[in-house]
Amino acid sequence: MADLTPIPLPVLVNRMFRELEAKKAAFHLPRFKFAKAPAGRDLSTSIFGRRAATPFGPAAGPHTQLAQNIVLSWLAGGRVIELKTVQVLDHLDIARPCIDMETVGFNIEWSQELSLEQSLEEYVKAMMLIEMAKAEGLAPGLEDTVIDMSVGYDLAGLRSDKVRAFIAGMKDASAVIDKLRGQIPEPYARFRDLDYPACISDSVTVSTFHGCPPGEIEAIAAHLMAEEGLDVVVKLNPTLLGKADLNAILHDKLGYADLVVPDATFEKDAKWQDVRGIVSRLGDLADKLGRGFGVKFSNTLLVDNHKQFFPAGTGEMYLSGPPLHVLAIELVARFRAEFGDRFPISFSAGIDVGNFADTVALGLKPVSVCTDLLKGAGYGKGADYIADLADRLAEVEATDLDTYALKAFGLAGAALDDLDIPAESKATLAAALEAGENLRAVAGADFEAWVSAARLRNTDHYATRVRGDHRYSRPEVDHPPRRTGIPLALLDCETCGKCVNVCPNDAVFRYPLPQEPVIAAIVRPGAKVMIGEAQPVTRAQQIGIFADVCNRCGNCDVTCPETGGPFARKANLFGSVASLDDAPDRDGFAIEKTRAGLRLHVRDGGQRFTIDDDGARLACNGDGFDVSIDPAAPELASGPADHPVDLGRLILIARIARAVTAPTIVTYANAAFD
């Protein structure tokens, strides 16, 4: 397993604001891709009484574990941030690779890869960076943000001291904030006195593990409401549909016959009759305690692993993406047929730009995304979600999401039939609808009930449409990324940047490298330096990996046209010698700034050595060699070598180090220098 090493707050602050100034971007997201508030349209929603400027956000997962991920999600328009699930077992050994987005989505992840203490600090850092971004005016009109915790997976773990300490820290992060204030670099000292909110979050989504007993689900939610004082959403599983109905949709309608849900999963997971009772009782408890309660559709779907992508021995994997959208919408329809619009519903299943606005029209909130952000333009898609939703409101002449729910599918008139109001009132509302009047003003006290009735109508309408929508079927989805079959090398790939876009951790980056040939030079014991044929550098831009935040999930490999995986074949840059030491199975280097220049701590081919670069010569010292090299004249290298040493490789590593720390670019490496 590749461990994550969180990036210190000073480095994040330097990186974000230097990049904004120099490149008009933040963490590789161009400023023109930041979400913008639409003129004359209010996209805000309420999450248990807390205002969120949009209903869009990242789902609990790889986009919400590290501070820079969360900030990227926010810049892209996410205003309901569902943090990655934490649990008492906070030192997990997760097999790699773990994310496969070739067509639909599969993964073998589950909860956070950081300790609870690290997770708390990451979430506080993210909040502080978001507040700094607001102070700089990076999202005018879209400031209001809701951050939601996600916890699992059993009551005993949630009652443990360390999980309760995490929750307490999220409800009152004053101590962490005070510690971090002083770490804000001097050039940005103006941010030290911002009024950072002490409460990061006081709501939580319960992530129930596949097979979690129904009684345990209820006990967890009740504990979080009664003992922790939190508003609670319970995430439910697709297996609620039952084996026959789930397979009829997944296999017969959509064509995913090779996706098999183990029988044991249906046997262990909660059944519809269980959930009916759980939801009713928890709703009553929430009313009694003055807390909010809702449900979320849906968890991923556990299926047998029939592919070769994940490590050998991986028997099961979790399905996301387009087919899950159809299953989850079916569950929303069934849930509302049972409970009406009594409980708020959070939704995350196969959301993309093409169905986001439709799903919002059902009154689901938030509508969050994971799989789609792991493909294509990645975080860069977020602004498109917001812009498309605003366009849809404009098309139906709606100024807010409630009026949009009335008008989105043209069912506001039919929804009047469901209201228990006088016929004259219905006629008045129908006339106002026809005339394009202000429906909120005309409906007055009846507006909320009208919107609620429209949401239910919209749900049935959309569920019917989705069941027959061919775009979710296997023939439409089964189009893997282009592959050339060319082996990926350290330098000179296509440099298409796909890996940069899809990395949820902002670990992949481009850097310019002078197109000077790579020297072939080897020194052997007791012999002169042998000079071979130099290899050209054909690309002006190269790809690097910031190893501290690369957990080798494999997503860059899936999207890369060439074979071998950028995370494995490209230069891995570590943020410190300590993080290099902590990854003995990974080649790469850490850079220290010295009075004379740079000192590189390198692991190459599994061997450790150092390179001191004063700008003129390289002093290279390792096991069995201590050589001095003039990169312009490697044939004049001096110093003992007990075995053959590839001088050209040493020179290339030093060139890359100079390139990734050059003042003309902004990377985590040079952001750490000051």
Side-chain angles (χ1 to χ4, degrees):
M1 174 177 170
D3 291 329
L4 292 172
T5 302
I7 298 171
L9 181 63
V11 178
L12 292 169
V13 173
N14 280 335
R15 164 74 194 276
M16 184 165 85
F17 289 104
R18 286 182 187 174
E19 192 174 2
L20 279 166
E21 182 178 357
K23 303 295 183 182
K24 292 183 171 56
F27 304 118
H28 292 117
L29 184 68
R31 189 160 184 166
F32 69 84
K33 284 289 189 179
F34 294 2
K36 300 174 182 64
R41 311 289 166 193
D42 179 5
L43 304 185
S44 69
T45 191
S46 176
I47 308 295
F48 297 126
R50 305 165 188 85
R51 186 180 188 274
T54 78
F56 170 70
H63 300 98
T64 57
Q65 177 163 227
L66 298 170
Q68 70 272 16
N69 307 18
I70 296 167
V71 174
L72 277 163
S73 299
W74 187 86
L75 292 170
R79 292 301 181 268
V80 186
I81 309 292
E82 299 178 351
L83 300 174
K84 191 161 186 180
T85 305
V86 301
Q87 61 154 322
V88 67
L89 301 176
D90 57 354
H91 290 85
L92 299 176
D93 188 7
I94 298 173
R96 307 294 181 192
C98 59
I99 296 176
D100 175 11
M101 294 292 140
E102 185 180 40
T103 53
V104 295
F106 299 107
N107 75 85
I108 55 172
E109 288 195 323
W110 44 316
S111 63
Q112 93 281 34
E113 299 160 56
L114 304 174
S115 70
L116 284 159
E117 294 80 6
Q118 287 176 314
S119 292
L120 174 60
E121 186 158 310
E122 283 303 287
Y123 301 155
V124 176
K125 284 156 56 178
M127 177 276 295
M128 294 177 72
L129 287 164
I130 288 170
E131 292 299 315
M132 294 178 206
K134 291 180 190 178
E136 289 294 285
L138 296 185
L142 293 177
E143 290 87 357
D144 290 335
T145 305
V146 174
I147 296 177
D148 183 59
M149 288 182 272
S150 178
V151 300
Y153 291 98
D154 63 359
L155 183 58
L158 293 177
R159 282 178 167 164
S160 67
D161 290 343
K162 58 199 273 186
V163 173
R164 298 200 73 170
F166 168 82
I167 293 173
M170 291 293 288
K171 291 193 294 183
D172 183 359
S174 301
V176 182
I177 293 169
D178 289 343
K179 181 184 81 170
L180 293 174
R181 280 185 195 273
Q183 297 180 16
I184 296 173
E186 186 60 36
Y188 309 103
R190 62 188 182 276
F191 298 130
R192 292 174 185 166
D193 295 326
L194 287 182
D195 185 17
Y196 298 107
C199 179
I200 307 300
S201 176
D202 55 4
S203 67
V204 65
T205 296
V206 177
S207 184
T208 53
F209 201 62
H210 298 274
C212 185
E216 187 84 352
I217 296 171
E218 185 171 358
I220 290 170
H223 163 78
L224 292 168
M225 283 192 281
E227 302 300 323
E228 300 291 359
L230 301 171
D231 297 324
V232 173
V233 169
V234 172
K235 187 190 297 184
L236 298 171
N237 291 333
T239 48
L240 278 175
L241 290 171
K243 181 177 179 180
D245 288 354
L246 187 148
N247 285 338
I249 296 171
L250 189 64
H251 297 167
D252 303 337
K253 282 188 175 293
L254 300 179
Y256 297 96
D258 56 343
L259 298 184
V260 177
V261 180
D263 287 342
T265 301
F266 290 104
E267 294 166 5
K268 294 176 182 177
D269 280 358
K271 311 298 188 294
W272 192 260
Q273 59 269 28
D274 299 320
V275 169
R276 182 187 295 119
I278 289 170
V279 168
S280 296
R281 290 188 296 271
L282 289 174
D284 292 343
L285 177 63
D287 290 342
K288 178 182 176 182
L289 296 172
R291 299 254 56 97
F293 172 72
V295 298
K296 179 175 182 177
F297 294 109
S298 81
N299 208 343
T300 51
L301 178 65
L302 188 145
V303 298
D304 288 335
N305 178 23
H306 64 286
K307 302 183 71 177
Q308 303 299 314
F309 181 80
F310 298 121
T314 303
E316 297 168 336
M317 57 187 179
Y318 304 120
L319 169 72
S320 63
L324 192 64
H325 186 77
V326 183
L327 298 173
I329 288 293
E330 182 69 22
L331 280 171
V332 171
R334 293 188 185 189
F335 185 86
R336 281 189 161 163
E338 181 90 24
F339 292 103
D341 194 29
R342 176 186 172 189
F343 298 107
I345 299 176
S346 168
F347 190 87
S348 180
I351 291 294
D352 56 34
V353 177
N355 60 29
F356 173 68
D358 283 338
T359 310
V360 171
L362 311 190
L364 308 182
K365 55 182 185 178
V367 178
S368 53
V369 186
C370 181
T371 297
D372 192 46
L373 296 183
L374 290 167
K375 298 181 177 185
Y379 293 103
K381 296 178 181 179
D384 296 334
Y385 282 79
I386 306 305
D388 185 70
L389 178 60
D391 288 345
R392 289 286 299 278
L393 265 70
E395 287 172 12
V396 298
E397 299 182 336
T399 56
D400 58 55
L401 294 187
D402 285 342
T403 310
Y404 172 63
L406 286 170
K407 295 183 172 184
F409 299 133
L411 297 174
L416 289 172
D417 295 338
D418 304 327
L419 300 185
D420 185 18
I421 60 175
E424 313 88 76
S425 298
K426 292 183 181 181
T428 299
L429 294 179
L433 180 65
E434 180 69 23
E437 297 179 36
N438 184 327
L439 300 182
R440 186 184 296 273
V442 175
D446 296 325
F447 183 74
E448 187 175 335
W450 192 11
V451 172
S452 181
R455 288 171 179 163
L456 298 180
R457 291 266 183 173
N458 291 351
T459 299
D460 290 340
H461 169 84
Y462 184 64
T464 300
R465 197 178 84 193
V466 164
R467 289 183 203 115
D469 195 334
H470 191 60
R471 86 176 185 93
Y472 298 103
S473 68
R474 182 164 192 162
E476 292 297 311
V477 175
D478 202 9
H479 300 290
R482 175 181 65 90
R483 287 284 198 174
T484 64
I486 297 172
L488 196 64
L490 178 66
L491 300 179
D492 289 346
C493 60
E494 289 192 14
T495 324
C496 58
K498 292 178 180 179
C499 54
V500 178
N501 294 337
V502 302
C503 177
N505 294 351
D506 187 42
V508 189
F509 63 96
R510 292 186 184 91
Y511 65 93
L513 187 70
Q515 291 176 273
E516 302 167 3
V518 176
I519 297 167
I522 297 178
V523 61
R524 299 182 184 277
K528 292 182 179 180
V529 175
M530 299 177 60
I531 302 296
E533 183 178 353
Q535 298 298 312
V537 174
T538 61
R539 301 274 183 173
Q541 293 282 318
Q542 305 294 336
I543 297 293
I545 308 293
F546 191 66
D548 286 23
V549 292
C550 171
N551 56 2
R552 299 197 163 196
C553 69
N555 198 42
C556 61
D557 186 20
V558 172
T559 197
C560 180
E562 300 176 31
T563 59
F567 68 88
R569 300 295 179 87
K570 295 301 182 180
N572 272 234
L573 170 62
F574 288 84
S576 67
V577 178
S579 60
L580 176 67
D581 289 340
D582 288 342
D585 59 336
R586 299 179 74 169
D587 283 355
F589 56 89
I591 307 172
E592 291 180 331
K593 197 172 184 180
T594 65
R595 282 187 173 184
L598 301 179
R599 172 169 294 164
L600 314 184
H601 298 264
V602 185
R603 183 184 297 108
D604 193 45
Q607 301 300 309
R608 282 292 298 270
F609 54 90
T610 60
I611 301 175
D612 281 285
D613 180 0
D614 64 6
R617 297 189 69 84
L618 306 178
C620 308
N621 181 272
D623 185 19
F625 68 94
D626 186 1
V627 297
S628 177
I629 310 167
D630 177 354
E635 68 277 7
L636 301 179
S638 60
D642 297 342
H643 53 79
V645 176
D646 187 342
L647 304 183
R649 181 76 171 181
L650 301 180
I651 294 169
L652 176 58
I653 291 170
R655 281 178 60 190
I656 293 173
R658 283 286 179 183
V660 300
T661 56
T664 54
I665 66 170
V666 183
T667 66
Y668 288 120
N670 56 21
F673 280 172
D674 298 325

